[in-house]
Amino acid sequence: MKYSGWPEPGELVVGDVDEIADFGVFVDLDEYEDKRGLCHISEVASGWIKNVRDHVREGQTVVAKVLDVDKSSNQIDLSIKDVNEHQRKDKIQAWKNSQKADNWMLIALGEDVDDDRYTAVANALLVEYDSLYDAFEAAAISGEEALEDVDIDADARDDIVEAARDNVSVPYVDVTGYVDLESAAPDGVDDVREALSAAEGNGEIPDGVDLEVGYVGSPEYRIKVRAPDYKTAEDQLEAAAARAREAIEAAGGVGEFHRDRREDDE
């Protein structure tokens, strides 16, 4: 997704060297629609420059700092020399992440998605996240919970979560489910406590998996699982719920697993 507006002075931008002249370098800005900047020869590199081509080549991707913007003359002045190596690497990585996120958006919404829908979903995500990449990474880690405050329809939410989990590499994923546990027996509280212990795995949870069971509001309990990948997390969540349900039913009680809360958290 390219920006339709103008960059701001002081902003770092990514562009491709389009033309090299004796007086400087013309750069097509990759992040902005139909925007081209000029880096004067004095801003290409530090020190005296005999030949601009000793420092840049046509087609080269560069990171430049925006020095000035004159909308009336459609001119953007750039500096390549004012960008240090650390800034350059960070900006290139952010740019690559942006390209990945744009591709994930097309996977989620469809290659033929119209501009209005794409923009509406993207803007809604950017209200809650600093970038589309951050939004997809959060969706890959936490699923629908990551998007519960994003103002998008259910279809878009589900498609984004699916695309994120299929395409985004993350160090871990979080999944959450709920189990209702009820026992009418005189010692029903102990029965529920045993069922919760069973859900926690009695110390037999696989390495690399964190599982936490917490009270929500009787008879509802939350099971949270963090695992290296989505399948493992889902398997462990379902297994934990099954252990709790089997334990409470063995004591004469009733257990039910569900993915969403019955009522909003207080």
Side-chain angles (χ1 to χ4, degrees), residues 19-44:
E19 181 183 349
I20 298 176
D22 292 339
F23 56 85
V25 177
F26 290 96
V27 179
D28 283 335
L29 304 188
D30 291 337
E31 300 162 289
Y32 289 87
E33 292 180 352
D34 303 320
K35 295 296 185 292
R36 191 185 196 214
L38 171 63
C39 181
H40 188 267
I41 187 172
S42 62
E43 295 294 338
V44 171

Side-chain angles (χ1 to χ4, degrees), residues 109-163:
L109 303 179
E111 293 284 347
D112 58 348
V113 62
D114 62 70
D115 291 344
D116 289 343
R117 176 161 174 74
Y118 184 106
T119 301
V121 173
N123 287 342
L125 291 170
L126 292 173
V127 169
E128 300 296 330
Y129 292 95
D130 291 336
S131 69
L132 295 181
Y133 184 91
D134 290 343
F136 272 87
E137 187 173 58
I141 292 172
S142 301
E144 293 183 1
E145 285 187 14
L147 306 180
E148 61 184 9
D149 293 328
V150 178
D151 186 19
I152 54 177
D153 58 76
D155 287 342
R157 183 188 64 236
D158 293 344
D159 291 339
I160 288 171
V161 170
E162 182 179 357

Side-chain angles (χ1 to χ4, degrees), residues 179-181 189-202 211-216 219-223 240-241 243-245 247-248:
V179 62
D180 294 346
L181 302 172
V189 172
D190 292 334
D191 294 339
V192 170
R193 187 178 295 113
E194 290 296 323
L196 295 175
S197 295
E200 292 172 342
N202 297 316
L211 191 152
E212 176 185 329
V213 180
Y215 176 75
V216 175
E220 192 174 27
Y221 299 84
R222 180 190 296 109
I223 303 174
R243 289 192 297 268
R245 190 176 63 249
I248 197 70

Side-chain angles (χ1 to χ4, degrees), residues 226-255:
R226 172 169 290 185
D229 58 81
Y230 180 65
K231 184 179 186 306
T232 299
E234 285 288 335
D235 288 346
Q236 291 300 315
L237 174 61
E238 292 175 5
R243 289 192 297 268
R245 190 176 63 249
E246 290 168 3
I248 197 70
E249 290 176 354
V254 177

